[in-house]
Amino acid sequence: MHSSITAAYLTRYRSLASAAGTGPDAAPLLPLTGAQRRFLITRHRDRLARTDIVPLFFAFPRGTVDLARLRRAALRLARQHPALSGEFTVLRGTPVLRLGEPSVEVTRVPVDPSGPAAGALAVDGASGAGLPDGPARAALLRALLDWPTDGPALRLLLAAGPQDEEELLAVALDHAACDEQSLGLVTEGLGAAYADPDGGEDAPGTGRAEAVESYRAAVEGQLDAEARAASEAAQRHWAARLGVLADAPEATGPAGAARSTGMAVDRLPAVTGAARSGVFPALLDAVAAAAHRLDGGDRVLALGYPWGGRPADTEPVLGCFLNTLVHPAPPGPARPLDALGAEWWDDLDHADTPYDEVVRAARSAGASWSGALDGLLTFEDLHRRPPLVLGGTAGREVHLAGRPLAAPIAVSASHGEDLLVRLAWDRERYSDAAAEAAFAALLATLRHHLGTGA
């Protein structure tokens, strides 16, 4: 009989939660999803590991952002969402959320106008213009790279150089507290609280008890789905799909360890109508082309991508309800999109299977694979995320090279008025020339599948 990792976690969590109010620390404990637990366990095992963060960057006209007002808005938002009020921690080997005060930092980051430019390369192939660069960008990136492992869950960092006409605002969250849907809740919630004439911090909103119960119900619903998805049928599926995986032959340091990363960017026309269903499989094949160009070997690569969402009929709460799925990418030319799409849909039937269960299934089939990813793909539909509006001014979203990476390469695609594609790479592992050649292969594969010469 297959033993579920999720069921074992729930047993340990309930034992801790039942005793939480009887000891010297009476703070209530809340459960975590499989994705949240993986983030915490990684940090707990390796104290040198960086916190996985999700940053957004916005440019505002200089003088737009009132930090005191923004701080009040952030505190109000945090009080409405348990994921931003307390501490993600590991107690007796069990990851939990311990409720407490708002876990928020709002500050202006000092900018040294003569400081170095953070050692990152950014190339925008679409416009020929560089991505935002300079001392302000470097200061923000250094602050994010130095994120403390014990929080906070939300950081709002503002920076501007002495001569800059715009100021850059980083809205960054601990990945344990957010996923794609959470980002929309954050931008919308911050804007609404910032616009509140009462200042936001003490304005009425969702009660604490109601917010806690909404979060608990959403997480328990997700855990129930994960427990059901850890079935023997799912084990057989992932064993068949991933049994050929193997780690890279040479260890090159922990993922995300690079202090220097590059980014290449291009824009393709938006895909409309029925063709939209082929965008994600096309992206998977395009990332495979780039990863194989850089890897240079003949092994099947493990490409990860987040997928999923909150259980049906749950309140919109902050948290990480996504699961990381794994796509096995063999070497070779571009594959037929129909075949790719069929495999992808089959994988989505088992999308709730926790990542650790997927790795276990692969290893049971003979894979010499630790679960390390060779590349990561994220996809966002920008029509589903409200803009960040502060004081009536909408921030212009910008993309900064130099962000920490969770894999040797990371591809981000944003679908809105166009299809914005970004490739980030570890410059300690790959040369800029090799990465730019890989990006060219990615774009060629994508255009091949989507039928555009743009």
Side-chain angles (χ1 to χ4, degrees), residues 290-364:
H292 277 292
R293 176 65 66 93
L294 291 169
D295 181 74
D298 58 0
R299 66 190 178 95
V300 178
L301 302 182
L303 305 182
Y305 59 95
W307 199 266
R310 288 145 185 74
D313 302 323
T314 57
E315 296 294 323
V317 300
L318 292 187
C320 189
F321 294 84
L322 297 177
N323 194 21
T324 300
L325 274 67
V326 182
H327 173 73
R335 300 182 58 203
L337 198 57
D338 289 347
L340 279 168
E343 292 175 351
W344 176 56
W345 280 109
D346 286 345
D347 289 344
L348 292 187
D349 287 339
H350 303 281
D352 287 329
T353 309
Y355 193 81
D356 290 340
E357 298 276 12
V358 170
V359 175
R360 183 160 70 172
R363 294 180 67 84
S364 73

Side-chain angles (χ1 to χ4, degrees), residues 124-152:
D124 187 335
S127 65
L131 297 177
D133 203 348
R137 179 191 68 83
L140 282 181
L141 291 174
R142 281 193 294 271
L144 293 177
L145 287 170
D146 291 334
W147 192 296
T149 56
D150 57 353

Side-chain angles (χ1 to χ4, degrees), residues 121 294 425-438:
L121 177 73
L294 291 169
W425 66 91
D426 178 351
R427 296 180 78 196
E428 296 176 359
R429 187 176 304 205
Y430 305 123
S431 71
D432 296 340
E436 289 166 17

Side-chain angles (χ1 to χ4, degrees), residues 81 102 153 176 243 277 332 347 356 362 373 401 403:
H81 292 284
S277 63
D347 289 344
D356 290 340
L373 296 172
R403 295 165 46 175

